[in-house]
Amino acid sequence: MNDLSARAPDAIHVVRSGPPGASPIVFLHALGLDLGIWDAQFAEFAGDRNVVALDLPGHGLSGAPDGAPTFEAIAMQVADTLASLDIASAHVIGISFGGMVAQALAIEQPSVVRSLTLVATSCTFPETVRQMLRDRARATRDGGMAIMAEAHLARWFPEAFRAQHPEVSDRFRKLLHRQDPSFHASLWELVATLDLKDRLTARFAETAIPLMVIVGEDDASAPVAAGQLMCDQARDAVLHVVPKCGHFPPVEYPERFNAFLREFLRD
């Protein structure tokens, strides 16, 4: 990224690029990774947008949170970070865990969210999925990040993409290996509690926040039905399904993803 890096309050690491006076876009990454997953989006939008990406607490160059993490606390750290950058409101894009944080931000601080783009994420889970997530947390504590990294990569990316882009798997694997297993497990325990549907419905009823949802056709972690459920909560929503795509549309199909985002922001 050809950008400016800075430290924000509470040890949140920020990367910023583009014209400072332009309309802000804020990117929130997935669990276990860092802001570098948005490289293709920085390259696309930094020419005419004020582009900001954060390392969420406990990720990348950001400090770990005090105590057990919550979606509300992380969302407030995002809001405080944007305030420190003199950003009153922004188009917020979150993928996977970052999409859950983005939903919490829209619920807790709706004035900060000019529009919401949710990618490969969910607003709630059935109990069977919650138990699977708790089991994943337990496996992380027992087996460590080396084992879990391979399981995540197999779940996130289709086999064909991993074969064609080993550099992506290598990059993501190294990021995952840097995570503390106990903290990583605590995040999965947090994800297992996700239940924002009713609060999201109430927020969209009160505030007409434009919503775009993007899902991968082959994403088992955040299927099309989960994306449709979030769209059903909003008055102004659009759903895009990316064919032959897994859990990371911005990485697997960056040109298509960027086109969806540019059209949404223009409208």
Side-chain angles (χ1 to χ4, degrees):
M1 298 177 185
N2 182 16
D3 50 33
L4 173 67
S5 297
R7 279 285 176 174
D10 301 318
I12 295 296
H13 178 244
V14 179
V15 171
R16 189 175 193 176
S17 188
S23 178
I25 308 177
V26 175
F27 292 97
L28 305 176
H29 62 76
L31 193 154
L33 303 176
D34 70 4
L35 55 77
I37 71 166
W38 301 109
D39 281 352
Q41 285 65 55
F42 265 69
E44 169 68 20
F45 292 100
D48 59 350
R49 296 277 184 167
N50 178 8
V51 184
V52 177
L54 284 66
D55 280 337
L56 293 172
H59 295 77
L61 297 178
S62 289
D66 294 329
T70 68
F71 288 117
E72 292 77 14
I74 298 172
M76 291 307 298
Q77 281 189 278
V78 172
D80 290 344
T81 299
L82 296 182
S84 76
L85 299 173
D86 295 323
I87 295 175
S89 66
H91 302 285
V92 179
I93 297 94
I95 185 169
S96 194
F97 182 77
M100 299 170 192
V101 174
Q103 292 173 66
L105 180 64
I107 291 167
E108 299 292 331
Q109 296 285 322
S111 64
V112 174
V113 181
R114 187 176 300 182
S115 73
L116 191 61
T117 298
L118 303 176
V119 187
T121 192
S122 301
C123 63
T124 190
F125 297 116
E127 180 54 34
T128 53
V129 174
R130 296 187 193 281
Q131 185 56 52
M132 180 187 69
L133 294 167
R134 291 190 287 265
D135 292 342
R136 187 175 297 163
R138 190 177 306 109
T140 303
R141 294 187 192 278
D142 293 343
M145 292 308 301
I147 292 175
M148 293 311 299
E150 299 310 314
H152 289 334
L153 291 171
R155 180 171 53 85
W156 284 343
F157 295 109
E159 184 177 356
F161 180 85
R162 282 180 279 135
Q164 294 171 5
H165 298 278
E167 76 286 355
V168 174
S169 293
D170 184 60
R171 180 179 182 181
F172 279 41
R173 182 182 295 110
K174 289 174 179 175
L175 289 171
L176 289 165
H177 282 191
R178 291 172 55 188
Q179 283 248 293
D180 173 71
S182 179
F183 176 72
H184 193 78
S186 74
L187 292 180
W188 286 118
E189 290 164 348
L190 173 60
V191 173
T193 70
L194 180 75
D195 193 10
L196 298 176
K197 175 178 172 292
D198 291 342
R199 296 175 66 198
L200 201 63
T201 303
R203 175 56 67 213
F204 280 128
E206 297 171 358
T207 309
I209 300 174
L211 171 66
M212 178 170 65
V213 177
I214 301 177
V215 298
E217 180 184 42
D218 299 329
D219 186 0
S221 298
V224 175
Q228 184 62 61
L229 180 63
M230 292 184 293
C231 283
D232 291 343
Q233 313 316 310
R235 287 178 281 170
D236 183 7
V238 60
L239 173 67
H240 291 293
V241 180
V242 183
K244 299 180 181 179
C245 182
H247 197 56
F248 282 89
V251 177
E252 295 173 59
Y253 294 95
E255 292 183 359
R256 189 173 305 175
F257 178 88
N258 291 346
F260 288 149
L261 185 54
R262 186 166 289 283
E263 179 181 6
F264 178 64
L265 297 180
R266 182 177 64 243
D267 292 343

